[in-house]
Amino acid sequence: MNPTRPLRTTAVPALLTVSALIALTACGTSEADSSAPGSKATVTVRIPDPGNSGVLALGKKDGSLDKALAKAGAKVRWTGSAGPFAPAAQAMNADQLDIATGSITSGITSLAQRPGFKFFTAVDPDATGEGILVREGSDIRSVADLVGKKVAVNQGGTGEYLLLKALAKAGIPAGKVTRVYLRPDQTAAVFNAGKVDAWAVWATYAVAEIGSGKAHFLADGAAIGSDNYSLNAVRTEFAEDHPDVVKALYQYLHEASAKEKQNPAAYLNVFTDVGPTAVTGKAKEVQTAITAKSGTVDPVGPEDIERFEAVAAFYTEQKVTKDRVDVAAHLLDVGKLT
């Protein structure tokens, strides 16, 4: 596989579908099981359960992911469920998880702690699926109208970044808008009840609001000028011990994300088309349109690192992080893994 990345378009921000806060149980180090004396041990890769949509959901259902990893002597253990990156980063640091997905924004705040992980893939910022939501009928018509308003954001992650970036672009001091820090899975009810005036959020949560016809983007990722990449992270020790497994996982994600872009509907409602995890009606149309404009999971290239560093500098400037995070020190080149 040539690791040189192809020309890409904008992309959906998370390939591991976000469905709930991560719920992990301590399960020790990655297991290596042997089925017979003298046989090569099978490496177990701990990945958050992908839920009902996305490339990993389909890979789980049809067995294609395990088949791909088996060639590298590995298998998947689904543990907990995919959610915000901060708790996933903590789980990797505690040796409870091997792989997780998050944005560069939440990644930077996690790297500012004591990171035990590295990023090994990049998906371009989502121009159409993330942004600042306002309710239909709202008198907020521009970013300038947010002055004096309350905006829900997830602290240190995508939401806070999108709001601060939009305000900076409009020349509005951040202090003129009240940031209301909420977990994204708890924000919809607050937003729809009118307890906040806007919600800075990504596609995982925005699709349902837009699909309901009750909300729209005041400004999307393109209008904001977002550099909010989606990244896949791997526990550092796991990558050091099993580079061939990481490379096999990258290969699978890269090829599957290209297929998802071509046929988005096949990656929605993988296990069920009813219930709270199903994407239906207008929301399904919104999601498939976003995915069709997406890019693919690719290696991290020099142009990406430059933009990562720009986000790190912006976070320091906006006092989200105390010191500037050296993102480049926490990246893996999958093309050099052997």
Side-chain angles (χ1 to χ4, degrees), residues 250-273:
Y250 157 72
Q251 182 79 26
Y252 181 85
L253 292 173
H254 174 74
E255 294 176 358
S257 63
K259 294 176 182 177
E260 183 185 33
K261 175 180 169 67
Q262 294 299 317
N263 185 17
Y267 293 81
L268 290 176
N269 304 330
V270 172
F271 292 98
T272 179
D273 57 6

Side-chain angles (χ1 to χ4, degrees), residues 29 38 66 92 104 107 122 146:
T29 58
D66 267 328
M92 285 188 286
I104 183 59
L146 293 174

Side-chain angles (χ1 to χ4, degrees), residues 46-67:
R46 295 165 298 178
I47 303 177
D49 190 280
N52 194 32
S53 298
V55 298
L56 291 184
L58 189 59
K60 177 184 178 182
K61 182 178 181 180
D62 66 14
S64 59
L65 178 59
D66 267 328
K67 183 177 179 181

Side-chain angles (χ1 to χ4, degrees), residues 21-33:
L21 282 175
I22 192 154
L24 297 166
T25 56
C27 48
T29 58
S30 297
E31 295 180 0
D33 301 320

Side-chain angles (χ1 to χ4, degrees), residues 228-271:
N228 188 37
Y229 281 75
S230 172
L231 309 173
N232 279 298
V234 59
R235 188 168 58 85
T236 303
E237 187 176 354
F238 185 91
E240 292 171 348
D241 292 344
H242 310 292
D244 52 336
V245 178
V246 178
K247 196 167 186 177
L249 178 59
Y250 157 72
Q251 182 79 26
Y252 181 85
L253 292 173
H254 174 74
E255 294 176 358
S257 63
K259 294 176 182 177
E260 183 185 33
K261 175 180 169 67
Q262 294 299 317
N263 185 17
Y267 293 81
L268 290 176
N269 304 330
V270 172
F271 292 98

Side-chain angles (χ1 to χ4, degrees), residues 171-247:
I172 300 169
K176 289 187 175 295
V177 176
T178 300
R179 279 169 269 174
V180 179
Y181 293 125
L182 293 169
R183 278 180 14 194
D185 62 325
Q186 297 178 334
T187 306
V190 177
F191 173 71
N192 287 307
K195 295 180 180 178
V196 293
D197 302 291
W199 180 11
V201 69
W202 61 98
T204 302
Y205 302 97
V207 165
E209 301 304 316
I210 296 171
S212 72
K214 297 178 181 179
H216 63 273
F217 277 136
L218 172 71
D220 61 15
I224 291 170
S226 172
D227 278 329
N228 188 37
Y229 281 75
S230 172
L231 309 173
N232 279 298
V234 59
R235 188 168 58 85
T236 303
E237 187 176 354
F238 185 91
E240 292 171 348
D241 292 344
H242 310 292
D244 52 336
V245 178
V246 178
K247 196 167 186 177

Side-chain angles (χ1 to χ4, degrees), residues 43-47 69 74-78 98-99 238 245:
V43 177
T44 298
V45 190
R46 295 165 298 178
I47 303 177
L69 292 181
K75 65 180 181 180
V76 176
R77 176 194 288 172
W78 303 107
D98 300 310
I99 302 293
F238 185 91
V245 178

